[in-house]
Amino acid sequence: MSDEQGFSTRAIHAGQPADASTGAVSVPIYQVSTYKQDGIGGFRGGYEYSRSANPTRTALEECFAALEGGSRGFAFASGLAGQDTLVRSLLVPGDHVVVPSDAYGGTYRYFNKVARPQGIEHSIARIADVDAVRAAIVPGRTKLVWVETPTNPLLGVADIAAIAEIAHEAGAVLVVDNTFASAYLQNPLALGADVVTHSTTKYSGGHSDVVGGMVVTARQISVAGFEDAEDRIAFHQNSIGGVAGPFDSWLTLRGLKTLAVRMERHCDNAEKVVDFLTGHDGVSQVYYPGLPSHVNHEVAARQMKRFGGMVSFRLKKGEDAAVKACAAVQLWTLGESLGGVESLIEHPARMTHASVAGTELEVPADLIRLSVGIEDVDDLIEDLREALDIHA
Ligand SMILES: *Cc1c(COP(=O)(O)O)cnc(C)c1O
């Protein structure tokens, strides 16, 4: 499948030829663990055992690699399983990582409580600030710079191309967690990143019905010592075994087919919700990369197709009002996660980011995060208006 084909053409066809034996146009769910060999070692299509490879998972991995413009995709049981496999593939004890100051809570918890006790140190940098990232690099020891953009939950934007240069100069690989933007709105590999990760649980799957992760490697990794990153990840994916199962792979693959149309609608709706929030008296601040007042709006405009479906905002009346507003909405679902067709609302300080309380990553207590779904936006705004008029 050529890179020249459009995004949705690749989403619907890459890695998904009609089934050779039946012509089935949807890739079958190969719910199987092992494969008949034609004589010892005579694997059909290379399939031997489903931890190593499974045809439904292969279709998803090939499709995702095509969407990110990468060389190879690796599907995992969750976003964090993919991140863990990636870190173990690329780093050894004594290495150092730069982690963003408003990373996904689970990502920070992973580096702080899992990687660090195993000898992988980290420093935290505000990734919206290129100089802060440069300053956080420990010469000779930093092997990986982790970037999330836009960030969760404050929608910070990192300049991927500028940070790629800094990382590469220091001999470190740049990993970009592209979960919030999705492969439709942003392709970090084209901007110089070496590896892209996703929680496919979010926009990629898009229907709040599957948990999964994806790692995609760049065609060319120029950082000395990491040229074989793809082989190392393939080895670790099989050796650790945190792979995506066939049904989960199939659900994610089905989600990807509509990613472009869903993202356009998420963006349309988010822009209107942002308009409403910026005009509401009870709101003290709105975080959205599409706002000209956003500190890195220019960077976001350069590296993203549009600005996404995630919006965060703060209430003048503080934490109590934020908690009450989250409980008062009817149509918005109070819940964690994001990126599904249905709109979600949450209070990061007590929910998704409770694990970073008391650390450098603590989030404001009066903050509300929205994952704007693809319902009729007038209904979404009306529901928010009712809740905010009472509590904000
Ligand atoms: C959800 C999320 C993750 C973790 O993915 P899981 O699928 O929950 O393991 C990582 N990064 C970001 C930005 C996320 O939103």
Side-chain angles (χ1 to χ4, degrees):
M1 183 83 17
S2 95
D3 280 355
E4 268 102 76
Q5 285 184 310
F7 185 90
S8 285
T9 305
R10 282 177 278 149
I12 293 167
H13 295 288
Q16 304 161 79
D19 181 59
S21 59
T22 65
V25 296
S26 164
V27 172
I29 301 164
Y30 285 88
Q31 195 67 47
V32 63
S33 61
T34 191
Y35 305 80
K36 174 181 161 62
Q37 301 184 13
D38 298 320
I40 294 169
F43 308 139
R44 300 187 193 176
Y47 294 102
E48 174 188 11
Y49 182 62
S50 281
R51 169 165 35 72
S52 312
N54 173 281
T56 316
R57 195 177 95 214
T58 302
L60 171 63
E61 292 174 333
E62 288 183 1
C63 182
F64 225 110
L67 295 182
E68 283 288 10
S71 78
R72 197 158 160 198
F74 301 91
F76 293 91
S78 70
L80 283 173
Q83 294 182 196
D84 178 44
T85 301
L86 176 62
V87 168
R88 293 207 229 185
S89 302
L90 300 185
L91 302 180
V92 294
D95 287 345
H96 175 265
V97 183
V98 176
V99 183
S101 61
D102 47 355
Y104 172 68
T107 297
Y108 175 70
R109 182 178 57 197
Y110 172 80
F111 281 112
N112 198 30
K113 299 259 176 75
V114 179
R116 195 165 61 164
Q118 294 176 9
I120 293 165
E121 304 275 327
H122 66 266
S123 299
I124 290 168
R126 239 172 55 75
I127 49 145
D129 178 354
V130 175
D131 292 329
V133 175
R134 187 183 286 111
I137 286 177
V138 182
R141 281 193 53 217
T142 301
K143 296 294 174 204
L144 198 158
V145 174
W146 192 279
V147 159
E148 202 183 299
T149 182
T151 61
N152 179 6
L154 293 174
L155 286 309
V157 169
D159 187 333
I160 296 172
I163 295 176
E165 235 172 81
I166 294 170
H168 293 165
E169 268 168 33
V173 294
L174 175 63
V175 174
V176 175
D177 179 339
N178 203 24
T179 299
F180 264 42
S182 87
Y184 177 67
L185 295 179
Q186 176 172 278
N187 292 130
L189 301 179
L191 298 163
D194 302 291
V195 182
V196 169
T197 69
H198 284 268
S199 168
T200 55
T201 312
K202 318 294 168 54
Y203 288 107
S204 306
H207 295 73
S208 305
D209 53 13
V210 62
V211 171
M214 180 64 61
V215 172
V216 181
T217 48
R219 295 223 172 84
Q220 184 88 43
I221 293 181
S222 52
V223 184
F226 293 99
E227 300 88 345
D228 61 344
E230 183 179 309
D231 294 340
R232 289 202 229 173
I233 297 165
F235 175 81
H236 283 80
Q237 184 194 35
N238 184 43
S239 301
I240 297 171
V243 296
F247 185 50
D248 288 0
S249 296
W250 185 86
L251 282 170
T252 307
L253 196 56
R254 186 171 72 158
L256 288 179
K257 292 175 204 278
T258 56
L259 181 61
V261 289
R262 284 188 286 109
M263 290 315 294
E264 289 290 349
R265 174 72 168 236
H266 282 296
C267 293
D268 288 345
N269 284 1
E271 285 168 13
K272 294 197 175 107
V273 167
V274 165
D275 276 350
F276 161 72
L277 291 172
T278 49
H280 196 284
D281 285 346
V283 174
S284 58
Q285 194 170 353
V286 179
Y287 300 87
Y288 188 63
L291 284 170
S293 59
H294 186 285
V295 276
N296 270 346
H297 173 66
E298 296 303 317
V299 176
R302 197 165 63 232
Q303 68 190 19
M304 298 177 77
K305 196 187 298 256
R306 293 182 70 184
F307 303 104
M310 298 302 297
V311 179
S312 292
F313 63 101
R314 297 173 72 172
L315 294 183
K316 289 179 187 159
K317 284 192 183 159
E319 177 170 14
D320 192 46
V323 169
K324 284 186 175 140
C326 286
V329 287
Q330 310 275 320
L331 179 57
W332 295 75
T333 302
L334 178 64
E336 305 199 354
S337 196
L338 60 109
V341 291
E342 65 289 294
S343 293
L344 299 174
I345 189 168
E346 68 121 358
H347 185 258
R350 292 196 188 179
M351 295 170 64
T352 49
H353 290 65
S355 68
V356 295
T359 73
E360 290 167 80
L361 280 78
E362 187 168 288
V363 296
D366 58 2
L367 188 77
I368 293 176
R369 188 189 79 177
L370 303 177
S371 171
V372 183
I374 66 171
E375 300 97 332
D376 292 286
V377 71
D378 292 345
D379 297 332
L380 294 174
I381 290 173
E382 200 40 46
D383 190 36
L384 268 184
R385 187 194 317 278
E386 280 170 23
L388 293 184
D389 284 354
I390 298 169
H391 298 290

